[in-house]
Amino acid sequence: MLPPIILTSIISSFLLSLLALGFTLQYITLSVPNLAYGTIAFASSYITLTMCLAKSSPYLGVPLAFVLGGGISFLLYKFMAFLRDHGISLLGLMISTLVFDLTIYGCMNIYADFIAYTFKAYTRSFTLSEMDFTFNGLPGILLVSSILSITLITIFYLILMKTKFGIAMRAVMENYSLARVEGVNVDLVLSISWFFVGGIAGIAGSLYPLWFYMDPWVGARILISIFAACVVGGLKSVYGSLAGGFIIGALEILITHAFASTLGSWIWSYRAITSILIACLILLIMPKGLAGFISRLREMR
Amino acid sequence: MIELLILDTVVFFCIYLIFTLSLNFQQGYCGICNLGLYLPIIIGALITAYLPGRLAMKIYALDPGLDFVHQNAEILRLLKMQLQNNPLISILILLITIVGAMGISALVGYLCTYPALKLPETYLAVFLLSLAESVRVIGMQTREIAGGVMGINTIDPFWWFGTYTYFGSTAFIIGVTIIVFIIFHLMCNSPLGRLLKAIRENELTAQCVGKNISAIKKKVMSFSFSILGLGGCLHAFHMGATVAGGYTRVDFSFWPWLMMIVGGTGNNTGVFLGTFFLVIMRRCMIILKHYFTFLPFDVIWLEPILLAVMLVLIMIFRPAGVLPEKTARIKNAQP
């Protein structure tokens, strides 16, 4: 039986790496950080809650969460593409992600009120860990999150490296205009990739309440950790963001635990700050993150 | 009743005008994309929660065994008895708090620029947003500063106005807002304003003519953070309490952004109009929500959706705002 702190850091690492992967990919393709990303991901948590309230397995909501996250992400991409074609600046595009953030935030709260009204349940701050299954003394979320994360990352890697679509996607990520000139259907490639990473975010969000506490503001708070993971990994590196997600997900828990053991459990309230401190430190000593550090090592050889 | 409603609207208009003018100075004039606008606002509010009450306790030598957070109501009752007869001490406390809030906010603004200058513009926005959320978490979790999640009541430096306390506070906020508006108007129409616009348009060109971009950005960040800290301080004093959790990104960052975008970035008069229009609209929504109690959800959640819809409409139909920035004409310029 693993100690709870190790369990928490493993689950957090897997979920955060999925979120950081999507956030970075979306940033690379349009050069705009998607501020709605956290809210898109955690809107899916309410699917898991609904499943549990309907006396069904919380994992049955995972495919639905993929579709919801992917669908919203796809719509957001289309909206941003529309604005970009109308000459809106990068700042305007970033504001458009805010528009989605606010809309989803409002809708999520309305839905939370609605299911609280329908099921007479508390929907503002909840955890569904009691609804999870156990396997050999381990919580189901550990197995599901690790298997799903590894599978999704492998699928993503295979698509990116071994398929024609992946080549087109890499070309778009490298140089949007050149890829278009070369005949790549940029709009289709970006639509599919935004749907895919939005779906991944939806899955991560739907699994989150099975171990952690969830409330409608988690999406805003988790953006701190996602941002830190991207900074640690390197702002424009997909693989770096995966590594950054694992590192921040684990360090956030382990460092807070280390301080909590010496200073007291009150330190846990400040968990969210650990990641921003790590990000600031990385920005000062290694501005290009792990990806920049590795490429510098290569150049030195 | 209606007079109070009008005064309340005027106060909120003034406070939001301070926020939007400061945002316009950063984003509209200098091109610094600050989505974490509520970072210095929270700092100002937290200092207002922490400093004046404890300072007054020291001045009036109240029992040091009294805990400002635990025995907040009792301490405020004792302080009110003293302060309502002593305008000089009240003004002194008010000024010290304002200076403290502005100074610490300016320092935070200055420190923020170090990591911020290493980031691309759009990532800077996420960095500042994350930092603001972190400070909000600190405010919510640290009971000693501002009472934690439950918040804390603060002293009112206008108790000496007696039954006109509210009017005194309102007049002070209006006065400060007028001063802030004049300062921003003068700065933006001076050579400094033109330099900031030059940096916004093309940093490289400004650098080529010998301007130290990072030093200027540090000064802009520090100055606008100090004004935002002042706004946070005034807001906390006016509310009479500080609840750190209430300083959300929607209310204290996204709404000022919308006000600026609606009015027109890089134009203080436009920002004035945008703020006026949206503060009135929000007040109407707060009043009208009581007529929608039949819905199976709290109607307040329609507010962010409405904000989003307005942003979309403005971005599509008037991307430069109601009063777009005027193009500067250079005298004797060759055609």
Side-chain angles (χ1 to χ4, degrees), chain B residues 8-26 37 41 173-185 224 227-228 230-232 234-235 251-252 255-257 259-260 263-264 267-280 282:
Chain B
D8 193 49
T9 309
V10 169
V11 167
F12 272 88
F13 165 70
C14 287
I15 290 171
Y16 269 95
L17 186 61
I18 292 174
F19 298 157
T20 44
L21 284 171
S22 191
L23 172 66
N24 192 35
F25 189 62
Q26 288 175 67
L37 200 68
I41 296 173
I173 291 172
I174 293 170
V176 170
T177 309
I178 292 170
I179 293 168
V180 168
F181 188 84
I182 291 170
I183 289 172
F184 274 119
H185 183 75
S224 38
I227 299 293
L228 286 165
L230 167 70
L234 293 179
H235 182 264
D251 285 341
F252 291 90
W255 272 107
W257 263 90
M259 288 165 187
M260 183 185 74
N267 183 350
N268 286 332
T269 317
V271 164
F272 184 94
L273 279 180
T275 310
F276 180 76
F277 171 63
L278 285 175
V279 165
I280 298 286
R282 283 194 77 190

Coordinates of all heavy atoms in Angstrom, one line a residue, chain B residues 8-26 37 41 173-185 224 227-228 230-232 234-235 251-252 255-257 259-260 263-264 267-280 282:
Chain B
D8 N -23.9 55.3 -4.0 CA -23.2 54.0 -4.1 C -22.7 53.8 -5.6 O -21.6 53.4 -5.8 CB -24.2 52.9 -3.7 CG -23.4 51.6 -3.5 OD1 -22.4 51.6 -2.8 OD2 -23.9 50.6 -4.0
T9 N -23.5 54.2 -6.5 CA -23.2 54.0 -7.9 C -22.0 54.9 -8.3 O -21.1 54.5 -9.0 CB -24.4 54.3 -8.8 OG1 -25.5 53.5 -8.4 CG2 -24.1 54.0 -10.3
V10 N -22.1 56.2 -7.8 CA -21.0 57.1 -8.0 C -19.7 56.6 -7.4 O -18.6 56.7 -8.1 CB -21.3 58.5 -7.4 CG1 -20.1 59.4 -7.4 CG2 -22.5 59.1 -8.2
V11 N -19.7 56.1 -6.2 CA -18.5 55.6 -5.6 C -17.9 54.4 -6.4 O -16.7 54.4 -6.7 CB -18.8 55.1 -4.1 CG1 -17.6 54.3 -3.6 CG2 -19.0 56.3 -3.3
F12 N -18.8 53.5 -6.8 CA -18.3 52.3 -7.6 C -17.7 52.8 -9.0 O -16.7 52.3 -9.4 CB -19.3 51.2 -7.7 CG -19.3 50.3 -6.6 CD1 -20.0 50.6 -5.4 CD2 -18.4 49.2 -6.6 CE1 -19.9 49.7 -4.3 CE2 -18.3 48.4 -5.5 CZ -19.0 48.6 -4.4
F13 N -18.4 53.8 -9.5 CA -17.9 54.4 -10.8 C -16.5 54.9 -10.6 O -15.6 54.7 -11.3 CB -18.8 55.4 -11.3 CG -18.2 56.3 -12.4 CD1 -18.0 55.8 -13.6 CD2 -17.9 57.6 -12.1 CE1 -17.4 56.6 -14.6 CE2 -17.3 58.4 -13.1 CZ -17.0 57.9 -14.3
C14 N -16.3 55.7 -9.5 CA -15.0 56.3 -9.2 C -13.9 55.2 -9.0 O -12.8 55.3 -9.5 CB -15.1 57.2 -7.9 SG -16.0 58.7 -8.2
I15 N -14.2 54.2 -8.2 CA -13.2 53.2 -7.9 C -12.9 52.4 -9.1 O -11.7 52.2 -9.4 CB -13.8 52.2 -6.8 CG1 -13.8 53.0 -5.4 CG2 -12.9 51.0 -6.6 CD1 -14.5 52.3 -4.3
Y16 N -13.9 52.1 -9.9 CA -13.6 51.4 -11.2 C -12.9 52.3 -12.2 O -12.1 51.8 -13.0 CB -14.9 50.8 -11.8 CG -15.1 49.4 -11.3 CD1 -15.9 49.1 -10.2 CD2 -14.5 48.3 -11.9 CE1 -16.1 47.8 -9.7 CE2 -14.6 47.0 -11.4 CZ -15.4 46.8 -10.3 OH -15.6 45.5 -9.8
L17 N -13.1 53.6 -12.1 CA -12.4 54.5 -13.0 C -10.9 54.5 -12.7 O -10.1 54.5 -13.6 CB -13.0 55.9 -12.9 CG -12.5 56.9 -13.9 CD1 -12.7 56.5 -15.3 CD2 -13.0 58.3 -13.7
I18 N -10.6 54.4 -11.4 CA -9.2 54.4 -11.0 C -8.6 53.1 -11.6 O -7.5 53.1 -12.1 CB -9.1 54.4 -9.4 CG1 -9.5 55.8 -8.9 CG2 -7.7 54.1 -9.0 CD1 -9.5 55.9 -7.4
F19 N -9.3 52.0 -11.5 CA -8.8 50.7 -12.0 C -8.6 50.8 -13.5 O -7.5 50.4 -14.0 CB -9.7 49.5 -11.7 CG -10.0 49.3 -10.2 CD1 -11.1 48.6 -9.8 CD2 -9.0 49.6 -9.3 CE1 -11.3 48.3 -8.4 CE2 -9.2 49.4 -7.9 CZ -10.4 48.7 -7.5
T20 N -9.6 51.3 -14.2 CA -9.5 51.2 -15.7 C -8.5 52.3 -16.2 O -7.8 52.0 -17.2 CB -10.9 51.5 -16.3 OG1 -11.5 52.6 -15.6 CG2 -11.8 50.3 -16.3
L21 N -8.3 53.4 -15.5 CA -7.3 54.4 -16.0 C -5.9 53.8 -15.8 O -5.1 53.9 -16.7 CB -7.4 55.7 -15.1 CG -8.6 56.6 -15.5 CD1 -8.7 57.7 -14.4 CD2 -8.4 57.2 -16.8
S22 N -5.8 53.1 -14.7 CA -4.5 52.5 -14.5 C -4.2 51.4 -15.5 O -3.1 51.2 -16.0 CB -4.5 51.9 -13.0 OG -3.2 51.6 -12.7
L23 N -5.2 50.6 -15.8 CA -5.1 49.5 -16.8 C -4.8 50.1 -18.2 O -3.9 49.6 -18.9 CB -6.4 48.7 -16.8 CG -6.5 47.7 -18.0 CD1 -5.4 46.5 -17.8 CD2 -7.8 47.0 -18.0
N24 N -5.5 51.2 -18.5 CA -5.3 51.9 -19.7 C -3.8 52.4 -19.9 O -3.2 52.4 -20.9 CB -6.3 53.0 -19.9 CG -6.3 53.6 -21.3 OD1 -6.1 52.9 -22.2 ND2 -6.5 54.9 -21.4
F25 N -3.3 52.9 -18.7 CA -1.9 53.4 -18.7 C -0.9 52.2 -19.1 O 0.0 52.4 -19.8 CB -1.6 54.0 -17.3 CG -0.3 54.7 -17.3 CD1 -0.1 55.9 -18.0 CD2 0.7 54.3 -16.4 CE1 1.1 56.5 -18.0 CE2 1.9 55.0 -16.3 CZ 2.1 56.1 -17.1
Q26 N -1.2 51.1 -18.5 CA -0.3 49.9 -18.7 C -0.5 49.3 -20.1 O 0.4 49.2 -20.9 CB -0.6 48.8 -17.7 CG -0.2 49.1 -16.3 CD -0.6 48.0 -15.4 OE1 -0.1 46.8 -15.5 NE2 -1.5 48.3 -14.5
L37 N -4.8 42.2 -12.9 CA -5.1 43.5 -12.4 C -5.4 43.5 -10.9 O -5.1 44.5 -10.2 CB -6.2 44.1 -13.2 CG -6.4 45.6 -13.2 CD1 -5.2 46.3 -14.0 CD2 -7.7 46.0 -13.9
I41 N -4.7 45.3 -6.3 CA -6.0 45.7 -5.7 C -6.1 44.9 -4.4 O -6.5 45.4 -3.3 CB -7.2 45.4 -6.6 CG1 -7.1 46.3 -7.9 CG2 -8.5 45.6 -5.9 CD1 -8.1 46.1 -8.9
I173 N -13.5 59.8 -1.9 CA -13.2 58.9 -3.0 C -13.4 59.7 -4.3 O -12.6 59.6 -5.2 CB -14.2 57.7 -3.0 CG1 -13.7 56.8 -1.8 CG2 -14.1 56.9 -4.3 CD1 -14.6 55.6 -1.5
I174 N -14.4 60.6 -4.4 CA -14.6 61.4 -5.6 C -13.4 62.3 -5.8 O -12.9 62.4 -6.9 CB -15.9 62.2 -5.5 CG1 -17.1 61.3 -5.6 CG2 -16.0 63.2 -6.7 CD1 -18.5 61.9 -5.2
G175 N -12.9 62.9 -4.7 CA -11.8 63.8 -4.8 C -10.5 63.1 -5.3 O -9.9 63.6 -6.2
V176 N -10.3 62.0 -4.7 CA -9.1 61.2 -5.1 C -9.2 60.8 -6.6 O -8.2 60.9 -7.3 CB -8.9 59.9 -4.2 CG1 -7.9 59.0 -4.8 CG2 -8.6 60.3 -2.8
T177 N -10.4 60.4 -7.0 CA -10.6 60.0 -8.4 C -10.3 61.1 -9.4 O -9.7 60.9 -10.4 CB -12.0 59.4 -8.6 OG1 -12.3 58.5 -7.6 CG2 -12.2 58.8 -10.0
I178 N -10.8 62.3 -9.0 CA -10.5 63.5 -9.9 C -9.0 63.7 -10.0 O -8.5 64.0 -11.1 CB -11.3 64.7 -9.3 CG1 -12.8 64.5 -9.5 CG2 -10.8 66.0 -10.0 CD1 -13.6 65.6 -8.7
I179 N -8.3 63.6 -8.8 CA -6.9 63.9 -8.9 C -6.2 62.8 -9.8 O -5.3 63.1 -10.6 CB -6.3 63.8 -7.4 CG1 -6.8 65.0 -6.6 CG2 -4.8 63.8 -7.4 CD1 -6.5 65.0 -5.1
V180 N -6.6 61.5 -9.6 CA -6.0 60.4 -10.4 C -6.3 60.7 -11.8 O -5.3 60.5 -12.7 CB -6.6 59.1 -9.9 CG1 -6.2 58.0 -10.9 CG2 -6.0 58.7 -8.5
F181 N -7.5 61.1 -12.2 CA -7.8 61.3 -13.6 C -6.9 62.4 -14.2 O -6.4 62.3 -15.3 CB -9.3 61.7 -13.7 CG -9.8 61.8 -15.2 CD1 -10.1 60.6 -15.9 CD2 -9.8 63.0 -15.8 CE1 -10.5 60.7 -17.2 CE2 -10.1 63.1 -17.2 CZ -10.5 61.9 -17.8
I182 N -6.8 63.5 -13.4 CA -6.0 64.7 -13.9 C -4.5 64.2 -14.1 O -3.9 64.5 -15.1 CB -6.1 65.9 -12.9 CG1 -7.5 66.4 -13.0 CG2 -5.0 66.9 -13.2 CD1 -7.8 67.5 -11.9
I183 N -4.0 63.4 -13.1 CA -2.6 63.0 -13.2 C -2.4 62.1 -14.5 O -1.5 62.3 -15.3 CB -2.2 62.1 -12.0 CG1 -2.1 63.1 -10.7 CG2 -0.9 61.4 -12.2 CD1 -1.9 62.3 -9.4
F184 N -3.3 61.2 -14.7 CA -3.2 60.3 -15.9 C -3.4 61.1 -17.2 O -2.7 60.9 -18.1 CB -4.2 59.2 -15.9 CG -3.8 58.0 -15.1 CD1 -4.4 57.5 -14.0 CD2 -2.6 57.3 -15.5 CE1 -4.0 56.5 -13.2 CE2 -2.2 56.2 -14.7 CZ -2.9 55.8 -13.6
H185 N -4.3 62.1 -17.1 CA -4.5 62.9 -18.3 C -3.3 63.7 -18.7 O -2.8 63.7 -19.8 CB -5.7 63.9 -18.1 CG -6.0 64.7 -19.3 ND1 -6.7 64.2 -20.4 CD2 -5.8 66.0 -19.5 CE1 -6.8 65.1 -21.3 NE2 -6.3 66.3 -20.8
S224 N 1.6 52.3 -12.0 CA 0.2 51.8 -12.1 C -0.2 50.9 -11.0 O -1.4 50.9 -10.6 CB -0.1 51.3 -13.5 OG 0.9 50.5 -14.0
I227 N -1.2 52.9 -8.1 CA -2.6 53.5 -8.2 C -3.7 52.4 -8.0 O -4.7 52.7 -7.4 CB -2.7 54.2 -9.6 CG1 -1.7 55.3 -9.8 CG2 -4.2 54.7 -9.8 CD1 -1.9 56.5 -8.9
L228 N -3.4 51.2 -8.5 CA -4.3 50.1 -8.3 C -4.4 49.8 -6.8 O -5.5 49.5 -6.3 CB -3.9 48.9 -9.1 CG -4.2 49.0 -10.6 CD1 -3.4 47.9 -11.3 CD2 -5.6 48.9 -10.9
L230 N -4.0 51.9 -4.4 CA -4.8 53.0 -3.8 C -6.3 52.7 -4.0 O -7.1 52.8 -3.1 CB -4.4 54.3 -4.5 CG -5.4 55.5 -4.3 CD1 -5.3 56.0 -2.9 CD2 -5.0 56.6 -5.3
G231 N -6.6 52.2 -5.3 CA -8.0 51.8 -5.5 C -8.5 50.7 -4.6 O -9.6 50.8 -4.1
G232 N -7.6 49.7 -4.4 CA -8.0 48.6 -3.5 C -8.2 49.1 -2.1 O -9.1 48.7 -1.4
L234 N -9.1 52.2 -1.2 CA -10.4 53.0 -1.1 C -11.6 52.0 -1.1 O -12.5 52.3 -0.4 CB -10.4 53.9 -2.3 CG -9.4 55.1 -2.3 CD1 -9.6 55.9 -3.6 CD2 -9.5 55.9 -1.1
H235 N -11.5 51.0 -1.9 CA -12.6 50.0 -2.0 C -12.8 49.4 -0.6 O -14.0 49.3 -0.1 CB -12.3 49.0 -3.1 CG -13.4 48.0 -3.2 ND1 -13.4 46.8 -2.6 CD2 -14.5 48.0 -3.9 CE1 -14.5 46.1 -3.0 NE2 -15.2 46.9 -3.8
D251 N -14.5 40.1 -11.2 CA -14.9 41.5 -10.8 C -13.8 42.5 -10.9 O -14.1 43.7 -11.2 CB -15.4 41.4 -9.3 CG -16.8 40.7 -9.2 OD1 -17.5 40.7 -10.3 OD2 -17.2 40.3 -8.1
F252 N -12.6 42.1 -10.6 CA -11.6 43.1 -10.4 C -10.5 43.0 -11.5 O -9.5 43.7 -11.4 CB -10.9 43.0 -9.0 CG -11.9 43.5 -8.0 CD1 -12.7 42.6 -7.3 CD2 -12.0 44.8 -7.6 CE1 -13.6 43.0 -6.4 CE2 -12.9 45.2 -6.7 CZ -13.7 44.3 -6.0
W255 N -13.8 42.7 -15.6 CA -14.7 43.9 -15.8 C -14.0 45.1 -16.2 O -14.3 45.8 -17.1 CB -15.6 44.1 -14.6 CG -16.9 43.3 -14.6 CD1 -17.2 42.2 -13.8 CD2 -18.0 43.5 -15.4 NE1 -18.4 41.7 -14.2 CE2 -19.0 42.4 -15.1 CE3 -18.4 44.4 -16.4 CZ2 -20.2 42.3 -15.8 CZ3 -19.6 44.3 -17.1 CH2 -20.5 43.2 -16.7
P256 N -12.9 45.5 -15.5 CA -12.1 46.7 -15.9 C -11.6 46.5 -17.3 O -11.6 47.5 -18.1 CB -11.0 46.8 -14.9 CG -11.5 46.1 -13.7 CD -12.4 45.0 -14.1
W257 N -11.2 45.3 -17.7 CA -10.8 45.1 -19.1 C -11.9 45.4 -20.1 O -11.7 46.1 -21.1 CB -10.3 43.7 -19.3 CG -8.8 43.5 -19.2 CD1 -8.1 43.2 -18.0 CD2 -7.8 43.6 -20.2 NE1 -6.8 43.1 -18.2 CE2 -6.6 43.4 -19.6 CE3 -7.9 43.9 -21.5 CZ2 -5.4 43.4 -20.3 CZ3 -6.7 43.9 -22.2 CH2 -5.4 43.7 -21.6
M259 N -14.4 47.4 -19.5 CA -14.7 48.8 -19.5 C -13.7 49.5 -20.4 O -14.1 50.5 -21.2 CB -14.6 49.3 -18.1 CG -15.7 48.9 -17.2 SD -15.3 49.1 -15.5 CE -16.7 48.4 -14.7
M260 N -12.4 49.1 -20.4 CA -11.4 49.8 -21.2 C -11.7 49.5 -22.7 O -11.6 50.4 -23.5 CB -10.0 49.3 -20.8 CG -8.9 50.0 -21.6 SD -7.3 49.3 -21.2 CE -7.4 47.7 -22.1
G263 N -14.8 51.4 -24.0 CA -14.5 52.8 -24.1 C -13.5 53.1 -25.2 O -13.7 54.0 -26.0
G264 N -12.5 52.3 -25.3 CA -11.5 52.5 -26.3 C -10.1 52.6 -25.7 O -9.9 53.5 -24.9
N267 N -7.2 55.8 -24.7 CA -7.9 57.1 -24.7 C -8.7 57.2 -23.4 O -9.6 56.5 -23.1 CB -9.0 57.0 -25.9 CG -9.8 58.3 -26.0 OD1 -9.7 59.2 -25.1 ND2 -10.5 58.4 -27.0
N268 N -8.2 58.1 -22.5 CA -8.7 58.2 -21.2 C -10.2 58.6 -21.2 O -11.0 58.2 -20.3 CB -7.9 59.2 -20.3 CG -6.6 58.6 -19.9 OD1 -6.5 57.4 -19.8 ND2 -5.6 59.4 -19.8
T269 N -10.6 59.5 -22.1 CA -12.0 59.9 -22.2 C -12.9 58.7 -22.5 O -14.0 58.5 -22.0 CB -12.2 61.0 -23.2 OG1 -11.1 61.9 -23.1 CG2 -13.5 61.7 -23.1
G270 N -12.4 57.9 -23.5 CA -13.1 56.7 -23.8 C -13.3 55.7 -22.6 O -14.4 55.2 -22.4
V271 N -12.2 55.6 -21.9 CA -12.2 54.7 -20.7 C -13.2 55.3 -19.7 O -14.0 54.5 -19.1 CB -10.8 54.7 -20.1 CG1 -10.8 54.1 -18.7 CG2 -9.9 53.8 -21.0
F272 N -13.3 56.6 -19.6 CA -14.3 57.2 -18.7 C -15.7 56.8 -19.1 O -16.5 56.4 -18.2 CB -14.1 58.7 -18.7 CG -15.0 59.5 -17.8 CD1 -14.5 59.9 -16.6 CD2 -16.2 59.9 -18.2 CE1 -15.3 60.6 -15.7 CE2 -17.0 60.6 -17.3 CZ -16.6 61.0 -16.1
L273 N -16.0 56.9 -20.4 CA -17.3 56.6 -20.9 C -17.6 55.1 -20.7 O -18.7 54.7 -20.3 CB -17.4 56.9 -22.4 CG -17.7 58.4 -22.7 CD1 -17.7 58.6 -24.2 CD2 -19.0 58.8 -22.1
G274 N -16.6 54.2 -21.0 CA -16.8 52.8 -20.9 C -17.1 52.4 -19.5 O -18.0 51.6 -19.2
T275 N -16.4 53.0 -18.5 CA -16.6 52.7 -17.1 C -18.0 53.1 -16.7 O -18.7 52.4 -16.0 CB -15.5 53.4 -16.3 OG1 -14.2 53.1 -16.8 CG2 -15.5 52.9 -14.8
F276 N -18.3 54.3 -17.1 CA -19.6 54.9 -16.7 C -20.8 54.0 -17.2 O -21.6 53.5 -16.4 CB -19.8 56.3 -17.3 CG -21.1 56.9 -16.9 CD1 -21.3 57.4 -15.6 CD2 -22.1 57.0 -17.8 CE1 -22.5 58.0 -15.3 CE2 -23.4 57.6 -17.5 CZ -23.6 58.1 -16.2
F277 N -20.7 53.6 -18.4 CA -21.8 52.8 -19.0 C -21.9 51.4 -18.3 O -23.0 51.0 -18.0 CB -21.5 52.6 -20.5 CG -22.3 51.6 -21.2 CD1 -23.7 51.9 -21.3 CD2 -21.8 50.5 -21.8 CE1 -24.5 51.0 -22.0 CE2 -22.6 49.6 -22.4 CZ -24.0 49.8 -22.5
L278 N -20.7 50.8 -18.1 CA -20.8 49.4 -17.6 C -21.1 49.4 -16.1 O -21.7 48.5 -15.6 CB -19.5 48.7 -17.8 CG -19.4 48.3 -19.3 CD1 -18.0 47.7 -19.6 CD2 -20.5 47.3 -19.7
V279 N -20.7 50.4 -15.3 CA -21.0 50.5 -13.9 C -22.5 50.6 -13.7 O -23.2 49.9 -12.9 CB -20.3 51.6 -13.2 CG1 -20.9 51.9 -11.8 CG2 -18.8 51.2 -13.0
I280 N -23.1 51.5 -14.6 CA -24.6 51.7 -14.5 C -25.3 50.3 -14.9 O -26.2 49.9 -14.2 CB -25.0 52.8 -15.5 CG1 -24.4 54.1 -15.2 CG2 -26.5 52.9 -15.6 CD1 -25.0 54.8 -14.0
R282 N -24.1 47.3 -14.6 CA -24.0 46.3 -13.5 C -24.9 46.6 -12.3 O -25.5 45.7 -11.7 CB -22.6 46.2 -13.0 CG -21.6 45.5 -14.0 CD -20.3 45.2 -13.3 NE -20.4 44.0 -12.4 CZ -19.5 43.7 -11.5 NH1 -18.4 44.4 -11.5 NH2 -19.6 42.7 -10.7

